[in-house]
Amino acid sequence: MNLSLIHISVGLAARYGDPSPSPVAERLARETAVIVAAGFAPLFLVVADLVRYARAEGIPVSTRGSVANSLAAYCLGITTVDPVAHDLLFERFLNPARRNPPDIDLDFCSRRRDEVLDYARRTYGPDRVALVSTMNTLQPRSAVRETAKARGLPEATIDALVALLPQGWHPDPRRRPTETIDDVIAGLDDPQWQAALREAYRLVGFPHHAGLHPGGLVITPGPLTDTVPLLLSPKGYLATQYEHGDVEAIGLPKLDLLGIRALTVLADAAELVRLRRAPDFRLEDIPPDNPTTAAMLRAGDTIGVFQCESDGARRTLRQLRAANVADLAVAGAFFKPGPATGGMARAFIRRYRGEERVTYLHPALEPILGRTKGVLLFQEQVLRVATEIAGLDWAQADRLRRGMSKFQAAEMDALAAAFADGCCRPAPLGPGFGREQAARLWEQVMAFAGYGFNQGHATAYADVSYRSAYVKAHWPAEFLCARLADAGGFHHPAVYVAEAQRLGIAVRPPHVNYSGAAFTLTYEYDGDEDQPVLWLGLGEVRDLRQASIRALSLIHI
């Protein structure tokens, strides 16, 4: 505990000065008390150590989920989002009613995530660090294949049986299959085929084989074998035989170390920038209020920018005139189902642009809904309404946040009555709502709960989006080269090529003298300054062997 307090105090002074403002210091003391009382201080220190290593090695790292709401996490260097500046609610991450370990999800460059796993094994012991398994279950097609094989049916017959199965669920109700498995069985003449299908459908949902959780990691104080059964993963890492829910049930906190390509693209783009444009450039030094970046965001010119590429997302950026991280967080939440929908959508846009006066159902809601112009947009706002306005406890508030669909009718009626009574408490004990106001607020919360967006998660992802936008706004050739060189992306590569050409960047076919395996960036001097040129990679050449590509690529080094 003392070690955690030392680390947090140093981080507090570095971020807020020494002495720090009283409200900040008081919030940190409150958070630290909750974390230590719950026994989670070691978990925070381990996560901080992994993040510190990643940053020291130049491995891009970010967070997802509600850990961004924690000032303690910010002071430890786990997050880069200031929860005070963004008004993030710690209790969304960890509150007194919560008994299970908090979720701390870390995103790393997908190409270098294994380096962090290796560091964890070296630091904490290979016999104490394990990945987390998942159990893949039998689905109709796999169950039929396994059952038919056990019955000795030939492969051609198995393929024919699988082809007879009803198609899976379709989002369009008109295209959903009406045929059931009983209809299929009734249409078969061969008793062995019928038996195979009946037996297969009895097995659907049963365990098939073990897999690996995409990011789950556990670290134990002693040897893993004292606590949990193990298996060996294909990469040679130890993995628990328990799934993540069972791992947490026996008291092991699970970390999520995930890999996302957006951070890989950012890292590659930054490296290209340092090579020719700005040798001292660091992603961590990007200013939060850059006019060039703001202009690009307001225009919706965000092809290639993390979480901002779809037509709907770009339209939202233009409508809200987004300019910074806070605007991107609001845009991300507003674009999701639930928040600011129906008749409030257009009103919210007008309010956010300063074209319509902001009004509140009751003045007591202004401190909670002020940043979102009187509209419920984030889960944290539901929690604050429930606790600060309605006087509910944290357990009730958290259940309300999770959504009304999880309540029984009697339970929902009781909670609605408690909510209304709490809102109508006279001052100074309560906000003094009228009964009609309380009923309208309950209706708003009911429509919103279960669909709202996590503000901490939205802000953490908005931070990555803003950094992506900054790099594209200042060095579009380097950014788009990194985007094209990394397989994947929201759009087809042709869209990114078209975007490069729209921005005046030359795009040329593969060339043995310039192209690497993937898209490659070179510069040509035109008498005034270096002009970037994007070359398609040699990997795009049909029938060119990988050995040849590697040999040609080595010539360019």
Side-chain angles (χ1 to χ4, degrees):
M1 184 182 75
N2 291 334
L3 183 61
S4 67
L5 291 176
I6 291 171
H7 281 71
I8 289 175
S9 300
V10 170
L12 176 67
R15 287 160 178 76
Y16 297 99
D18 191 8
S20 303
S22 295
V24 176
E26 290 169 4
R27 170 173 171 166
L28 182 61
R30 174 170 54 85
E31 287 192 19
T32 304
V34 172
I35 292 167
V36 172
F40 298 141
L43 175 64
F44 273 70
L45 287 178
V46 168
V47 173
D49 180 49
L50 297 177
V51 173
R52 178 204 58 76
Y53 169 79
R55 292 208 174 104
E57 295 298 315
I59 303 171
V61 56
S62 182
T63 58
R64 67 172 69 187
S66 57
V67 66
N69 294 44
S70 170
L71 178 59
Y74 180 58
C75 291
L76 283 171
I78 294 172
T79 67
T80 56
V81 172
D82 186 343
V84 176
H86 290 279
D87 195 25
L88 302 179
L89 182 69
F90 171 70
E91 284 78 10
R92 170 62 182 85
F93 172 64
L94 186 62
N95 63 65
R98 182 167 185 165
R99 291 294 173 262
N100 57 317
D103 293 325
I104 302 182
D105 300 341
L106 301 176
D107 287 329
F108 296 95
C109 163
S110 57
R111 193 170 55 234
R112 301 186 64 188
R113 170 180 172 266
D114 284 356
E115 293 179 38
V116 182
L117 293 178
D118 288 337
Y119 170 77
R121 295 177 73 217
R122 292 196 310 269
T123 304
Y124 301 102
D127 61 334
R128 303 184 182 200
V129 177
L131 304 178
V132 177
S133 293
T134 58
M135 190 56 64
N136 297 308
T137 56
L138 286 163
Q139 300 304 305
R141 279 168 169 69
S142 58
V144 168
R145 288 193 177 278
E146 295 297 336
T147 305
K149 285 178 187 175
R151 283 184 161 269
L153 297 180
E155 192 66 32
T157 301
I158 295 174
D159 291 341
L161 272 176
V162 169
L164 293 173
L165 298 179
Q167 295 300 309
W169 184 87
H170 195 280
D172 185 347
R174 296 168 298 179
R175 299 177 64 181
R176 291 175 192 167
T178 57
E179 187 181 39
T180 67
I181 188 60
D182 291 329
D183 296 331
V184 173
I185 293 173
L188 295 176
D189 296 327
D190 190 321
Q192 193 174 17
W193 288 26
Q194 292 177 334
L197 287 185
R198 287 196 188 94
E199 291 167 356
Y201 266 73
R202 292 194 198 104
L203 295 176
V204 170
F206 278 79
H208 188 200
H209 62 272
L212 286 177
H213 188 282
L217 184 79
V218 294
I219 301 175
T220 55
L224 286 158
T225 49
D226 292 348
T227 310
V228 62
L230 302 173
L231 55 84
L232 197 63
S233 72
K235 284 188 176 182
Y237 294 111
L238 292 176
T240 67
Q241 290 187 30
Y242 293 159
E243 292 189 284
H244 66 92
D246 297 326
V247 163
E248 292 176 345
I250 64 172
L252 292 179
K254 175 180 66 70
L255 308 178
D256 276 332
L257 276 59
L258 300 147
I260 62 169
R261 284 176 167 170
L263 293 178
T264 305
V265 170
L266 260 182
D268 291 347
E271 186 60 32
L272 289 172
V273 168
R274 285 190 288 267
L275 284 175
R276 290 289 293 265
R277 301 296 195 182
D280 298 326
F281 172 68
R282 296 172 68 248
L283 293 169
E284 295 81 5
D285 297 336
I286 289 175
D289 52 359
N290 179 258
T292 305
T293 307
M296 190 186 79
L297 290 172
R298 280 194 295 267
D301 292 334
T302 51
I303 294 293
V305 174
F306 179 59
Q307 297 272 297
C308 300
E309 297 195 66
S310 70
D311 290 341
R314 294 168 64 201
R315 181 175 60 251
T316 302
L317 294 179
R318 290 192 291 267
Q319 289 174 332
L320 299 181
R321 296 173 182 168
N324 51 42
V325 171
D327 292 342
L328 288 172
V330 168
F334 180 71
F335 184 58
K336 298 296 186 292
T341 54
M344 283 304 297
R346 292 183 179 178
F348 174 76
I349 292 169
R350 291 193 298 271
R351 290 179 181 187
Y352 205 80
R353 292 162 61 152
E355 298 171 353
E356 179 179 301
R357 187 172 68 88
V358 178
T359 59
Y360 301 93
L361 181 63
H362 188 280
L365 291 171
E366 184 172 358
I368 299 173
L369 303 181
R371 284 178 174 248
T372 54
K373 312 304 177 185
V375 176
L376 275 172
L377 203 62
F378 295 113
Q379 294 175 355
E380 286 82 346
Q381 292 172 319
V382 170
L383 291 172
R384 290 188 64 186
V385 165
T387 55
E388 297 175 24
I389 303 298
L392 302 181
D393 60 39
W394 283 110
Q396 292 172 308
D398 202 51
R399 295 203 66 192
L400 186 62
R401 171 190 65 80
R402 293 174 183 274
M404 298 297 169
S405 62
K406 296 182 173 63
F407 287 109
Q408 299 294 329
E411 187 180 10
M412 187 167 70
D413 291 342
L415 190 60
F419 184 93
D421 291 342
C423 290
C424 295
R425 291 171 299 158
L429 298 177
F433 274 51
R435 284 288 168 182
E436 185 178 344
Q437 289 176 314
R440 287 179 59 191
L441 181 60
W442 173 255
E443 290 174 1
Q444 291 179 15
V445 170
M446 277 187 64
F448 176 89
Y451 294 97
F453 212 57
N454 178 333
Q455 187 180 3
H457 176 79
T459 307
Y461 266 25
D463 187 59
V464 177
S465 299
Y466 185 83
R467 295 175 197 274
S468 301
Y470 179 92
V471 176
K472 183 186 178 186
H474 290 80
W475 303 286
E478 288 75 8
F479 178 79
L480 288 170
C481 180
R483 175 65 278 174
L484 283 161
D486 184 77
F490 182 84
H491 293 292
H492 189 278
V495 175
Y496 300 121
V497 169
E499 176 71 357
Q501 293 171 329
R502 184 185 73 83
L503 295 172
I505 302 165
V507 181
R508 297 178 183 169
H511 196 297
V512 292
N513 291 336
Y514 303 109
S515 296
F519 271 83
T520 306
L521 183 64
T522 65
Y523 301 85
E524 293 181 353
Y525 187 68
D526 66 354
D528 184 25
E529 61 180 4
D530 287 344
Q531 295 298 327
V533 178
L534 275 174
W535 299 90
L536 270 74
L538 296 173
E540 302 297 325
V541 179
R542 181 175 175 176
D543 295 333
L544 185 60
R545 296 181 305 159
Q546 290 298 315
S548 300
I549 293 174
R550 285 193 296 270
L552 289 168
S553 299
L554 287 173
I555 298 173
H556 308 145
I557 296 178

